């Protein structure tokens, strides 16, 4: 498979892991079982679109935000997904903030482990750069 497809699949798996971590640990944060695929897809698409926008805004206007771009993108992704996808229930502002950290952490851990164990091609291509 091409590197781009593997990267997209790894991103989807990482986001699914992060969202399921938030579902498991946060009372009130729910994803309807039949909606999990739609929620993960919408969340991932919003992240892919928001990432370059937030990065560009932070570089120009708020350079201190540069280190927190991934958290900001996760927050925006959760917020927009909650508004757009009917299968996701965040359960309040405190859950939104906690879910931002949990989803980001789950996706980071999955992003490290997935290339190591599932898609070794991604790990090899990173080592060549």
């Amino acid at each position: 498979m091409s590197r781009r497809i593997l990267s997209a699949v790894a991103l989807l798996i990482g986001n699914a892991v992060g969202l399921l971590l938030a579902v498991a640990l946060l009372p009130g944060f729910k994803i309807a079982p039949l909606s999990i695929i739609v929620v993960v897809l919408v969340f991932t698409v919003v992240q892919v679109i928001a990432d370059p926008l937030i990065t560009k805004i932070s570089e120009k206007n708020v350079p201190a935000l540069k280190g927190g771009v991934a958290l900001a993108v996760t927050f925006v992704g959760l917020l927009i997904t909650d508004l757009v996808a009917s299968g996701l229930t965040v359960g309040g502002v405190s859950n939104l903030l906690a879910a931002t950290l949990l989803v980001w952490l789950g996706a980071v851990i999955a992003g490290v482990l997935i290339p190591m164990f599932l898609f070794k091609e991604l790990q090899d291509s990173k080592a060549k750069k």
Side-chain angles (χ1 to χ4, degrees):
M1 269 197 248
S2 77
R3 186 183 188 305
R4 188 171 285 180
I5 292 171
L6 290 177
S7 293
V9 170
L11 180 63
L12 286 167
I13 293 170
N15 285 340
V17 167
L19 287 166
L20 292 174
L21 182 65
V23 167
L25 296 176
L26 295 175
F29 191 93
K30 295 178 175 64
I31 299 176
L34 296 175
S35 301
I36 185 73
I37 293 172
V38 172
V39 169
V40 171
L41 285 173
V42 169
F43 177 70
T44 302
V45 167
V46 169
Q47 274 194 312
V48 167
I49 293 170
D51 188 26
L53 296 173
I54 292 174
T55 301
K56 189 168 190 157
I57 290 170
S58 72
E59 286 175 351
K60 285 185 177 181
N61 301 327
V62 190
L65 183 62
K66 191 173 182 181
V69 167
L71 284 170
V73 168
T74 303
F75 177 82
V76 169
L78 284 171
L79 189 63
I80 292 174
T81 303
D82 184 35
L83 295 172
V84 173
S86 62
L88 175 66
T89 305
V90 172
V93 175
S94 61
N95 265 4
L96 179 61
L97 296 174
T100 297
L101 289 173
L102 288 172
V103 171
W104 171 79
L105 182 63
V108 166
I109 292 169
V112 170
L113 295 178
I114 288 170
M116 290 173 79
F117 297 108
L118 282 180
F119 303 136
K120 295 193 186 281
E121 298 90 0
L122 289 176
Q123 189 178 24
D124 294 340
S125 64
K126 287 181 182 176
K128 291 179 185 176
K129 286 186 176 182

